[in-house]
Amino acid sequence: MTTLQSSSPIYSLIGTRSQILITVNDVADIVYYGSRLSNTDDNALQQMVIGLERPIPFGRLDSDIPISINPQLGRGNFGSPALEGFRNSGLDWSPVFIVTNVTQEDHRLVIESHDQQVQLNWQTDIKLDSNDILQISQTLMNHGNNDYHVTRYANTVPIADNANEILSFYGRWIKEFQQHRSMLNHGGYIQENRRGRTSHEHYPALIVGDHGFGEDHGQVWGAHLAWSGNHRIRVDVKADGRRVLQAEALYLPGEITLQPQQSLTTPTLYMSYSQHGLSAMSQQFHQHIRTSILKDRLHKPRPIHLNTWEGIYFDHNPEYISAMATEAAAMGVERFIIDDGWFCGRNDDTSSLGDWFIDKMKYPNGLTPIIEHVHQLGMEFGLWFEPEMINKDSDLYRQYPEWLLAVDGYEQPTGRHQYTIDLQNPAAFEYIFERLDHFLSHYAIDYIKWDMNREIVQPAHNNRSAGCKQVAQYYALLHKLNTKHPNVEIESCAAGGGRIDYEVLKHTHRFWCSDNNDPLERQAIQRGMSYFYPPEVMGTHIGSHTSHTTHRTHSMNFRGNTALFGHMGLELDPVKASNDEKQVFRYYIQLYKKWRSLLHTGKNYRLSFNDNTALQGNMVVSSSQSQALISINQLTMPTYCLSGRLYIPGLHSNKNYRITIIDQPENLNKIVNRQPPWLASQQLFNGEWLQTVGLTLPIMDPESSLLLQFKAL
Ligand code: GLA
């Protein structure tokens, strides 16, 4: 059995700030994943390996068992194994793999292992890029003469044993990305998502760190599984105190069978390590998204949207919609999107999904006149689809009832009165593609809002389980559409934020974070999301003054500044807005246009305050550190009558900054005898001073926001 030996080959993956050391004996083991080391010559690494040899206590197996990248039952790993499977009659269920080959190319290591007896090959692909993002995936290949059934196949990353706190995410419709902290001393944490889409409830990610980690301090390891289906993520504290993180797609019974020479690859696990807390961890994720996932796909400034949904719902009248477009353009909107309700028979949410033909009753002249009108006004045009879905009350279902994703002979509960289409059915797949392609080929459509409003029950193709294949076919559909229409942008929406993950972002350009446009709720939702995503992919709309989901009323100041830290838009009826309201919308639209290039390229920080539950702050700094934009959001009543200090990270310690108020609550100076004088002083402040000594915070009413510019002189 394997033990660490002084002669163990050791491989090093080096990022800009982080480093991973992997020893290879019979198995490969991550023995270090932390900050970048300065001395990593061969000699130093060998010394380190000797220093890491573990004692062997009484009362356990007689040899040391590494957790390894591929923990195996047959090797005496008593935790969750990375692979579970078998051949017919229950054979070959406990393979023991031996590393046969390791290849390294700069930032990437490929480790191959083999079990001669069961004729399986296991390849681990592990990369650490210059943005300090670790990507790891596994591929299993069946070299045997008969089928191998896989029930589980996971990515496993051993992490440091001081990782004793977890930040995980929970949520629901209209309340996505809520944060939960828990301790990780014994046992562990596990989350499972069986809802068939990425889900509002179990965002596939978590962050572990040392005790009390925060925005600007502590060691943190952020982990995200890029997968839009069912998943399991766990972090275990072994009985000996070692920690291990594992993330996998969940396979339904009988779903994965590898025929001879077939292979299976796991979704990719993305990780970001920082020794300086959460903001630095997020900046690495953000940079990775910008440079490696989006690449140059967001080549133009993120246009300001107007989406019709909360303005008119299903009440479509082309003249009225044209008037909405006219008003939108006059306020400075750059992309106009017609939401649900435009296609055959769709008057409410009980029917017609699947019938992707223009409703001639509502649009007797078709969509072309509106699209031309929108384009003449200088805006892009977008259209809503929910391609994977079908209502039983639809012509499509009446013609092809067998296209339902279901197990024959059973009823299943509907979600929003609808069902899912089996994307593995080639005719169904082609029909959906043809319909989307038709619209994109015959109409000047620049943007699709791609929705998915129900969870999946009974994902079956020909009655066999097909949860993962349904997800893979969804990616294939997106891929086919992107290939044919590379200039069309796509938003991923699933009843708000039900399908937000890195894999879907490879095929799309923006996420609809939530159906909740109440800025107070949005502050929490967007903050949770910001751990993993930069503002330019977060769809953030200003809704009407009274929120349609919470029925709370908010000032324009709070609504505007909350939507500003994302890809901004409006979600309302501009025809009904008063002149005063339109003027204010115009003002926030201009503000967004002025600041979007900084917001969408700069480094983002989440600010920390002493009164952290009442106050929340966002900041973005330019790469040259010459300019920053900060929003200070008072969420609830301040705990104390003074709000403490504002400490500003990320500025240049040798530069002096002039502070200007960009936007403020209307009553800022009316609710106190005096606000801090620096606010109005035009005084210069030194970057180091701002970070370490800070500024006194103003006193603000709940649900209001202050926007400040810091400009270096
Ligand atoms: C979902 C979306 C909304 C809207 C409706 C239309 O709920 O999240 O934004 O598009 O569907 O039915």
Side-chain angles (χ1 to χ4, degrees), residues 173 307 309 314 339-340 346 384 416 449 451 453 493-496 512 515 571:
W173 177 64
N307 189 61
W309 180 240
F314 292 104
D339 207 285
D340 196 357
R346 180 74 165 174
W384 181 94
R416 211 190 187 204
K449 178 173 176 184
D451 213 334
N453 275 309
C493 169
W512 184 225
D515 278 348
E571 184 87 20

Side-chain angles (χ1 to χ4, degrees), residues 254 281 367-368 401 424 428 434 498 554 582 595 634-635 711:
M281 174 208 78
L367 283 177
T368 304
Q424 270 193 89
E434 186 280 324
H554 283 109
K582 280 190 267 203
W595 289 101
Q634 187 73 47
L635 305 182
K711 202 170 166 62

Side-chain angles (χ1 to χ4, degrees), residues 134-137 155 224-227 266-270 503 506:
L134 161 72
Q135 294 171 68
I136 182 166
S137 64
N155 289 298
H224 165 60
L225 185 72
W227 180 241
T266 64
T268 303
L269 171 65
Y270 288 79
E503 201 56 39
K506 291 177 188 166

Side-chain angles (χ1 to χ4, degrees), residues 602-713:
K603 246 188 200 180
N604 286 269
Y605 290 85
R606 288 169 299 266
L607 302 177
S608 296
F609 300 103
N610 183 35
D611 197 6
N612 247 340
T613 48
L615 262 179
Q616 191 162 283
N618 303 316
M619 165 173 178
V620 56
V621 193
S622 64
S623 54
S624 62
Q625 294 168 299
S626 60
Q627 140 137 293
L629 187 68
I630 290 189
S631 81
I632 300 164
N633 304 293
Q634 187 73 47
L635 305 182
T636 57
M637 194 63 188
T639 307
Y640 310 101
C641 62
L642 293 176
S643 290
R645 287 195 200 173
L646 165 67
Y647 299 97
I648 301 155
L651 299 179
H652 198 291
S653 51
N654 293 332
K655 287 187 178 166
N656 291 323
Y657 294 83
R658 169 154 296 145
I659 306 172
T660 314
I661 299 182
I662 303 292
D663 194 47
Q664 66 183 62
E666 233 173 76
N667 64 5
L668 186 69
N669 292 307
K670 296 187 194 140
I671 56 171
V672 286
N673 282 323
R674 185 184 80 172
Q675 290 289 12
W678 65 263
L679 264 178
S681 72
Q682 292 285 305
Q683 162 89 35
L684 293 184
F685 291 98
N686 167 265
E688 184 189 28
W689 177 284
L690 288 167
Q691 170 146 4
T692 50
V693 183
L695 295 168
T696 51
L697 278 160
I699 295 165
M700 287 159 60
D701 269 352
E703 299 167 26
S704 68
S705 172
L706 180 67
L707 194 66
L708 302 172
Q709 173 190 26
F710 287 66
K711 202 170 166 62
L713 293 183

